[in-house]
Amino acid sequence: MPRFVTILLGAIALVGAVIGIRALMPSGDQIATVRAETVPTLDKPMSGATQVRDGMRVVVRRSVAEVRPLFVTMSGRTEAARAIPIKAESSGTITQAPAEEGKVVDKGALLCALDVQGRNARVREAEADFAQKQQTVKQTEENFEKGWASQVRVDQAKSAVEQAQASLEIARSELNKTQMRAPFKGVFEKRMAGVGEFLGLGGSCGTLVQLDPITVIADAPERIVLQIKPDANARLRLADGAEATGHVRYVSKTADAASRMFRVEIEIANPNNSIPVGRVADIRVQVGKGDAHKVNPALLTLDAQGRIGVRYLDVGGVVSFSLADIVDEGPDGTWVGGLPREALIVAEGQEGVKPGMRAVPDVLDD
């Protein structure tokens, strides 16, 4: 077959195919648009929310960091500086119990007293013997000077005085054991035995608690405890809004085996015993000075891992996320570290702005 005829027949066949396909279309001139309500591969409804896209305009606030005292924040609880049972060093029946529960007592105040059981008489007897032995020494020394007594006699008299003095001290010590006194100024928190009750050796008369100063205990993770130094300034805020200041008294060098947390103790002055034991408190410990931005708490947001942070525009208009290293808080805002010294912080109300996208900044002047 001639080549010309072959080309002509092919062209006729192609035209026929095109005409046939167009005849199958509903409108003849328009291709139907299909709108999918689900993602075919996952069969899930498509979101109707506005999609974020690169190049969109984002409202930002210009912020310049200031040098501020830096704080780390922890949660803690108040504990007594000391709480000890007042135990008997002797046995006997309680004859006096002048201390009242819940009242402040001075150091050395009588809390409980036992019957003396002749201990007073033994003290008086020891005092008399000591005085008589002292007189004997004086008389013997005079006789020695006159030549009427030997040096041996003088030495024996002095030895007798020392023995009498020891006996007197023992008698007085036994008498003192019948009186239980406060070893420090504190609150007589709870009475364990009263007048007329028998108290055996080692038995407890009551509990004495020292509330001034009071101690605040906190458990800190490693990243925080490494920043805390002994004697660092600390601020305490109770649940009712009351505040107090103090300093770090102790930082543990060993983590708890179960929680892997480190114990930190804060000492707070409590002259009026106004801060009780067992209160929950927020603690802020100063760890130095550094750059920080003041931001509205509403600007704080969460990343995909649920961590609190701040979104800002980085180099090239890329949205970035910085973990919120909260270094201080005040009535007019929250101070956050970790951002560049000059930052364009994404304003509130733009939750659709995601880290990694590129944006055009629209600077909002305060």
Side-chain angles (χ1 to χ4, degrees):
M1 181 181 296
R3 181 177 178 81
F4 173 76
V5 175
T6 302
I7 294 174
L8 180 62
L9 291 177
I12 294 172
L14 178 61
V15 172
V18 172
I19 294 174
I21 292 173
R22 291 178 61 88
L24 294 176
M25 293 182 180
S27 61
D29 295 320
Q30 301 293 332
I31 298 177
T33 300
V34 179
R35 179 178 178 84
E37 298 297 335
T38 61
V39 178
T41 56
L42 300 178
D43 195 27
K44 294 182 179 179
M46 295 179 67
S47 172
T50 303
Q51 297 297 313
V52 177
R53 65 186 185 279
D54 281 349
M56 70 177 294
R57 302 192 70 85
V58 173
V59 179
V60 295
R61 292 181 180 273
R62 191 184 306 278
S63 177
V64 178
E66 299 180 21
V67 177
R68 296 275 301 180
L70 303 182
F71 294 85
V72 292
T73 303
M74 301 174 289
S75 180
R77 61 194 181 281
T78 58
E79 289 188 2
R82 284 187 287 180
I84 64 171
I86 305 302
K87 295 185 177 182
E89 298 181 82
S90 184
S91 59
T93 302
I94 296 177
T95 57
Q96 298 180 65
E100 298 182 35
E101 286 186 330
K103 299 293 185 179
V104 177
V105 296
D106 292 325
K107 180 179 179 180
L110 180 65
L111 305 179
C112 295
L114 305 177
D115 58 63
V116 295
Q117 294 181 343
R119 291 183 177 89
N120 271 331
R122 285 196 288 273
V123 170
R124 290 195 298 270
E125 180 182 7
E127 288 175 340
D129 183 57
F130 178 63
Q132 190 272 328
K133 295 291 174 44
Q134 284 182 314
Q135 185 62 34
T136 300
V137 168
K138 182 179 179 181
Q139 185 65 47
T140 304
E141 288 178 337
E142 291 177 355
N143 291 338
F144 176 75
E145 291 176 357
K146 295 176 181 179
W148 298 346
S150 65
Q151 182 63 48
V152 174
R153 184 69 175 173
V154 173
D155 293 341
Q156 289 175 343
K158 290 182 177 179
S159 177
V161 168
E162 293 176 356
Q163 292 177 358
Q165 185 177 12
S167 297
L168 175 59
E169 291 175 354
I170 291 173
R172 287 175 174 172
S173 176
E174 289 298 321
L175 179 62
N176 290 336
K177 289 179 180 179
T178 65
Q179 298 182 338
M180 286 162 275
R181 298 184 178 273
F184 53 82
K185 182 178 180 180
V187 176
F188 190 64
E189 183 67 14
K190 185 176 182 180
R191 178 169 293 284
M192 306 298 293
V195 174
E197 294 184 61
F198 181 84
L199 204 60
L201 179 65
S204 179
C205 163
T207 302
L208 185 65
V209 177
Q210 184 179 12
L211 297 180
D212 181 27
I214 197 166
T215 302
V216 185
I217 307 300
D219 294 322
E222 183 177 3
R223 67 177 182 84
I224 287 181
V225 80
L226 290 176
Q227 304 177 60
I228 300 175
K229 306 298 181 183
D231 295 325
N233 293 330
R235 290 153 62 180
L236 170 73
R237 179 182 295 169
L238 299 174
D240 60 3
E243 295 189 353
T245 59
H247 66 276
V248 177
R249 184 179 72 182
Y250 169 77
V251 180
S252 173
K253 300 298 183 183
T254 306
D256 180 82
S259 66
R260 306 306 302 168
M261 305 288 273
F262 294 81
R263 181 183 176 95
V264 179
E265 296 182 5
I266 313 295
E267 186 174 287
I268 304 290
N270 190 28
N272 299 320
N273 298 326
S274 56
I275 303 176
V277 172
R279 295 288 298 275
V280 176
D282 291 328
I283 307 165
R284 288 185 292 171
V285 178
Q286 186 172 345
V287 294
K289 292 185 177 182
D291 290 344
H293 292 262
K294 184 174 70 173
V295 301
N296 188 321
L299 296 179
L300 301 179
T301 186
L302 300 178
D303 67 357
Q305 286 74 44
R307 299 173 298 180
I308 298 177
V310 179
R311 291 166 300 162
Y312 67 99
L313 291 194
D314 208 341
V315 178
V318 177
V319 178
S320 297
F321 180 87
S322 174
L323 293 179
D325 185 10
I326 299 176
V327 298
D328 198 4
E329 293 179 287
D332 57 345
T334 300
W335 292 89
V336 178
L339 291 167
R341 181 167 180 76
E342 296 185 11
L344 297 177
I345 300 176
V346 176
E348 59 268 29
Q350 302 178 95
E351 294 304 321
V353 176
K354 303 299 181 183
M357 65 169 286
R358 292 184 180 274
V360 177
D362 191 356
V363 181
L364 181 64
D365 295 326
D366 291 328

